Amino acid sequence: MHEWPVISALISRVESLIRDPRGIKVVRLHLKLGSLYPHSSDRLQELFDILSKGRITEGALLDIETLKEDSSSLAGMIFLESIEVEEP
């Protein structure tokens, strides 16, 4: 469950970036994974769904791209590239 705090931090980061969440629905997060990131995209989506319950990210999809070549310091990282939202 090492990915649990990573996904929790990702959701918190999204919430902090959306200043006024009233009525806004997050529909997709565009992520990039370093080539050595140790968890599968399916597992990340599964945990994201669990941790998003009752939050503005509930129901959002993770659009995940794995980088082919990274510098060694970034190879195990996850990056939030963009957030797609629906406004009321």
Side-chain angles (χ1 to χ4, degrees):
M1 287 291 196
H2 298 290
E3 62 274 23
W4 193 279
V6 172
I7 296 300
S8 182
L10 173 66
I11 294 168
S12 294
R13 178 69 178 142
V14 170
E15 290 175 335
S16 73
L17 291 170
I18 298 177
R19 295 184 196 324
D20 185 8
R22 290 175 288 181
I24 290 178
K25 177 173 175 48
V26 176
V27 293
R28 185 178 310 269
L29 300 178
H30 300 275
L31 306 176
K32 289 190 177 186
L33 300 182
S35 61
L36 298 178
Y37 192 79
H39 307 292
S40 73
S41 57
D42 290 340
R43 180 66 179 148
L44 293 176
Q45 182 70 58
E46 179 184 342
L47 281 175
F48 182 82
D49 292 344
I50 292 167
L51 293 173
S52 287
K53 297 284 187 207
R55 300 172 86 169
I56 64 170
T57 53
E58 184 173 0
L61 297 176
L62 300 180
D63 180 24
I64 299 172
E65 175 187 353
T66 300
L67 301 172
K68 300 295 183 217
E69 296 181 25
D70 304 311
S71 69
S72 60
S73 64
L74 302 178
M77 303 293 285
I78 184 169
F79 305 93
L80 175 60
E81 184 173 79
S82 64
I83 304 167
E84 187 177 323
V85 298
E86 283 181 0
E87 296 186 45

